[in-house]
Amino acid sequence: MKKVRIISLGGGVQSCALVYMATMGLIEADEAVFCDTITEHPETYQYLHEVLIPHAESHDFPVTILSPKNPNHHEYYTDSKKGKGLYEYYWDTKAIPFRATRSCTHNWKITPFYRYLEKKHPQGGIVYLGFSTDEITRMRDSYHEKFELQYPLIDMNVSRRDLINHWYPNVFKKPVPPKSSCYVCPFMHPRRWIELKRTHPELLEKAAQLEERSIQHRKKATYIHQDGVPLRSLLVTSSVALFFTMKEEKEEGAPCGSACFT
């Protein structure tokens, strides 16, 4: 029996590339699944709904969006997460996402993704992850014994830079997707916090309020920013000053915003 092939769609450069490749017949896939946290960057939602999904629909390629707000999807989430987006849940519990535990990844990405696959494809199959050659160290074993992980971009020797410089403009002929993540992601690159302040200061304000609520409740200073910088300080400091004082200067291709993989 032919194995079903599912693209784990995160909304960023690499996973969107897999959808385009599937619609062009460059890889064989049956469906793409996006697990919505209700806390993604607005640009991710815009790209999905205005660019990627219309393209997929025009090629009769199914893209499924799982949402904790959709009553039909509640069975894919643990009891305390049903009906709640990531931000809403952490606000109610007076907590923040932690890099060490990665509970946000498991609760809003991995768990609903595999519960959905278990119900729809109980026989198992293959899950495509959009890791490129610059992320080869992130390759791992599957979370589910019935679903094998495969990495088409690595098999094709394609890097993220290759996708941006060649595949999107010359092959897909589509705009490059924005970097994907939640706006309270503890893996988010320092430059992206600066960008969030510039483009969506209201979301940075929400993230700062979440962090302050957690600190007040727990009586302990724990921060979302990977450098231990209070998010409130980003709101009161100029973006130019922040850019030149941030100690974190690692390559943008590092697994920050794309850390929530399934």
Side-chain angles (χ1 to χ4, degrees):
M1 179 184 293
K2 176 186 170 184
K3 289 186 176 180
V4 66
R5 290 167 166 80
I6 306 297
I7 295 171
S8 175
L9 179 60
V13 171
Q14 289 98 322
S15 63
C16 286
L18 294 183
V19 174
Y20 291 128
M21 288 179 175
T23 62
M24 297 175 69
L26 299 177
I27 62 173
E28 187 176 357
D30 301 289
E31 179 184 9
V33 179
F34 176 76
C35 296
D36 189 4
T37 64
I38 319 297
T39 314
E40 313 287 336
H41 279 78
E43 290 78 8
T44 295
Y45 291 122
Q46 182 178 10
Y47 190 91
L48 289 175
H49 292 290
E50 296 182 8
V51 182
L52 186 76
I53 293 177
H55 170 87
E57 290 176 343
S58 70
H59 289 77
D60 295 321
F61 184 80
V63 175
T64 298
I65 297 181
L66 301 181
S67 170
K69 293 291 188 179
N70 186 336
N72 294 326
H73 297 165
H74 282 181
E75 63 185 300
Y76 307 132
Y77 295 83
T78 57
D79 288 342
S80 61
K81 315 303 182 300
K82 293 176 180 178
K84 291 186 178 182
L86 187 149
Y87 183 94
E88 182 182 3
Y89 171 81
Y90 281 109
W91 181 267
D92 289 347
T93 58
K94 301 178 182 178
I96 59 173
F98 280 111
R99 290 169 62 91
T101 61
R102 299 182 68 107
S103 60
C104 46
T105 300
H106 286 274
N107 290 323
W108 281 272
K109 295 291 185 179
I110 295 171
T111 295
F113 181 82
Y114 282 104
R115 285 186 175 181
Y116 170 78
L117 293 191
E118 285 173 353
K119 180 178 181 180
K120 187 172 183 180
H121 308 290
Q123 75 280 8
I126 295 171
V127 171
Y128 289 153
L129 292 188
F131 293 177
S132 46
T133 54
D134 38 311
E135 300 174 304
I136 198 167
T137 58
R138 299 177 64 201
M139 295 173 67
R140 54 172 172 75
D141 295 330
S142 176
Y143 286 104
H144 198 295
E145 60 181 9
K146 288 187 177 181
F147 293 93
E148 171 192 352
L149 295 184
Q150 291 188 8
Y151 306 87
L153 297 179
I154 292 176
D155 292 340
M156 298 168 69
N157 197 33
V158 175
S159 68
R160 186 173 188 274
R161 189 177 298 274
D162 292 335
L163 292 171
I164 293 172
N165 293 341
H166 172 66
W167 285 83
Y168 275 93
N170 301 321
V171 182
F172 307 146
K173 301 186 185 305
K174 296 291 182 182
V176 177
K179 205 167 179 63
S180 62
S181 76
C182 296
Y183 59 82
V184 292
C185 179
F187 288 90
M188 199 154 68
H189 193 284
R191 293 191 195 96
R192 296 207 68 212
W193 287 111
I194 300 172
E195 183 69 10
L196 185 65
K197 176 183 178 180
R198 185 182 68 81
T199 58
H200 299 288
E202 75 284 359
L203 296 183
L204 181 56
E205 173 64 32
K206 287 185 65 175
Q209 291 177 4
L210 181 69
E211 184 176 80
E212 290 164 349
R213 180 176 171 86
S214 171
I215 292 173
Q216 183 179 19
H217 174 68
R218 296 171 183 271
K219 310 299 182 183
K220 181 180 179 181
T222 52
Y223 304 104
I224 298 173
H225 194 289
Q226 62 179 256
D227 289 339
V229 177
L231 295 182
R232 179 65 58 190
S233 69
L234 275 63
L235 284 162
V236 299
T237 307
S238 75
S239 295
V240 173
L242 280 171
F243 183 84
F244 287 106
T245 55
M246 284 294 183
K247 67 179 181 180
E248 192 71 44
E249 288 294 333
K250 60 190 177 188
E251 189 69 25
E252 269 294 329
C256 45
S258 59
C260 276
F261 50 83
T262 52

